[in-house]
Amino acid sequence: MKKLLVAAVSALALAGPVMAQDAAPAGARSDAARERGEAAIPPPVMSETRHTGVFGGQRIAYRAIAGETYLKDKDGKPLAAMVSYSYIKEGPKDPNRPVTFLWNGGPGSGSLWLHMGAFGPKRVVVPSDAKDDGAAPFPIIDNPESLLDVTDIVFIDPIGTGFSRALGKTDPADYWGVTKDAKSIAEFIRMWLNTHERWNAPKFIGGESYGTTRSAAVINELEGSYTDVSINGILLISSILDFSLAADAQGNEPRLRHQSAVDGGHGLVSRQGAEQARHGGGVRRRGPGVGHRPLRHGPAEGQRPDGARAGGHPAAAIALHRRVPGLSEQRQPAPVAQPLLQGAAAGSGPDHRPSGHPLHRRRL
């Protein structure tokens, strides 16, 4: 499966015209490299193609730009190639058009999962019910749920993932570490904004799993340095900002109570269910980790998922049983994503949406 997705993204990266990022002649760079006893570093590869698609019910013409951006030292020597995939709406320039930078987690994963599985203009068709995905070939189809109707999108492969890599004699470990990784991505974002003249656009960043941890580090590098890049918002997908909460141990019940508070605020669970979780709801009394294991399976057969049974199943306190209208059974989101997909912000009523985020104009 991973090989198929990499091959699909590779086809995009290698198709179309190739443009050099550097103005210096290739021969001059090769001569300088030979003088230093190093192998010559070729110019970065960049491909640009044009397409149209229907996203969020709108027909959008867009450019697809796939290729390498060289990160360099103070003397202009290329140190690493960061590969990205940009989708930019064509037409008259809109100063209010946002741009969203996305990455996956790992921290060793490329961006192809969000790219080819969620937000890109094309997606790979695989079962969504946790069944085995079988063998190739897998269809690649249009993705009407892409965000291109409301924002331009840039998928980023951090160094050491996807096709991104260290160049020449650069040690890839120079980019491996929470801060090192974040600094390289922040550098790329600044370069992208320069190249595409988008410094005045609304800017969002987002990640999945460890990518949410990366997002917190990147925002610090973007907004906490001399070359300040102000970000309008962050998308946290399958968030994990505190890895201690991943442990199936006593003391992690706040995760259940916090989720229940959000779900209760949007009317996704009964008041009794929300109150049950807010006060511990018997989860703590069951002992270390006991409250978490049943959550993976939901309420038992015949048990009402609305908290009607006193001291009932912990799933009664969160919206495990709720569906998002308009989505097929296979595409129903995880519980924690439901209030976000319905357009509601944590702490607001179910009819309110966060006006600063481009998704506030979308109803999935």
Side-chain angles (χ1 to χ4, degrees):
M1 174 61 192
K2 291 184 180 179
K3 291 181 179 178
L4 170 73
L5 293 179
V6 171
V9 177
S10 176
L12 175 62
L14 298 179
V18 175
M19 300 173 291
Q21 177 183 321
D22 294 333
R29 289 193 298 274
S30 300
D31 293 342
R34 279 194 294 269
E35 291 177 4
R36 294 192 299 267
E38 301 175 359
I41 296 175
V45 175
M46 192 70 68
S47 167
E48 179 173 334
T49 54
R50 284 172 165 77
H51 311 267
T52 60
V54 177
F55 313 108
Q58 301 181 40
R59 178 161 292 279
I60 304 291
Y62 64 94
R63 290 184 293 149
I65 305 173
E68 303 168 323
T69 297
Y70 282 179
L71 308 182
K72 303 175 182 179
D73 64 14
K74 58 183 177 60
D75 297 322
K77 175 187 174 183
L79 299 176
M82 185 166 284
V83 173
S84 63
Y85 309 91
S86 303
Y87 297 97
I88 303 172
K89 182 181 178 181
E90 293 203 288
K93 285 192 175 181
D94 178 1
N96 297 315
R97 171 83 173 171
V99 57
T100 300
F101 299 91
L102 296 173
W103 44 77
N104 275 93
S109 175
S111 63
L112 77 165
W113 308 110
L114 290 181
H115 186 178
M116 300 296 290
F119 297 129
K122 302 282 186 179
R123 70 176 181 89
V124 175
V125 179
V126 294
S128 299
D129 53 4
K131 292 182 179 177
D132 185 84
D133 53 15
F138 298 94
I140 298 177
I141 64 172
D142 293 337
N143 181 18
E145 304 297 344
S146 174
L147 305 179
L148 267 174
D149 58 313
V150 294
T151 179
D152 294 334
I153 313 172
V154 183
F155 297 96
I156 301 173
D157 289 346
I159 302 301
T161 73
F163 296 103
S164 298
R165 64 204 183 280
L167 297 173
K169 295 184 178 180
T170 303
D171 185 350
D174 292 346
Y175 296 92
W176 297 344
V178 175
T179 301
K180 296 174 182 178
D181 173 87
K183 283 182 179 294
S184 66
I185 293 176
E187 179 182 354
F188 167 84
I189 290 175
R190 289 188 176 91
M191 295 174 68
W192 193 96
L193 295 173
N194 274 339
T195 300
H196 296 276
E197 300 180 343
R198 297 294 293 276
W199 278 90
N200 199 38
K203 293 173 280 292
F204 294 86
I205 65 173
E208 177 268 339
S209 190
Y210 176 81
T212 62
T213 309
R214 175 180 285 134
S215 295
V218 169
I219 197 73
N220 179 62
E221 295 299 329
L222 289 173
E223 296 195 346
S225 64
Y226 180 76
T227 314
D228 179 36
V229 180
S230 296
I231 297 299
N232 297 73
I234 307 179
L235 286 74
L236 303 179
I237 305 166
S238 300
S239 179
I240 179 164
L241 299 177
D242 183 348
F243 281 81
S244 68
L245 293 181
D248 190 9
Q250 187 171 12
N252 281 350
E253 294 84 3
R255 180 171 48 171
L256 169 63
R257 296 200 296 274
H258 296 163
Q259 182 173 335
S260 179
V262 172
D263 289 351
H266 299 300
L268 297 176
V269 295
S270 69
R271 182 181 299 274
Q272 180 179 354
E275 286 296 309
Q276 173 187 342
R278 189 169 71 85
H279 295 291
V283 175
R284 216 179 269 277
R285 292 193 298 273
R286 292 186 178 96
V290 177
H292 292 85
R293 285 190 289 272
L295 284 174
R296 301 172 186 145
H297 306 288
E301 183 69 27
Q303 181 175 350
R304 290 178 56 186
D306 58 1
R309 284 174 54 176
H313 196 283
I318 56 178
L320 287 177
H321 59 290
R322 298 290 177 144
R323 302 178 73 256
V324 174
L327 292 185
S328 65
E329 193 65 39
Q330 289 77 16
R331 299 189 60 215
Q332 289 299 314
V336 73
Q338 286 178 330
L340 299 178
L341 287 176
Q342 290 175 328
S348 70
D351 297 327
H352 291 79
R353 299 182 176 198
S355 59
H357 193 283
L359 282 179
H360 83 283
R361 299 198 297 273
R362 285 283 295 276
R363 180 178 291 277
L364 301 183

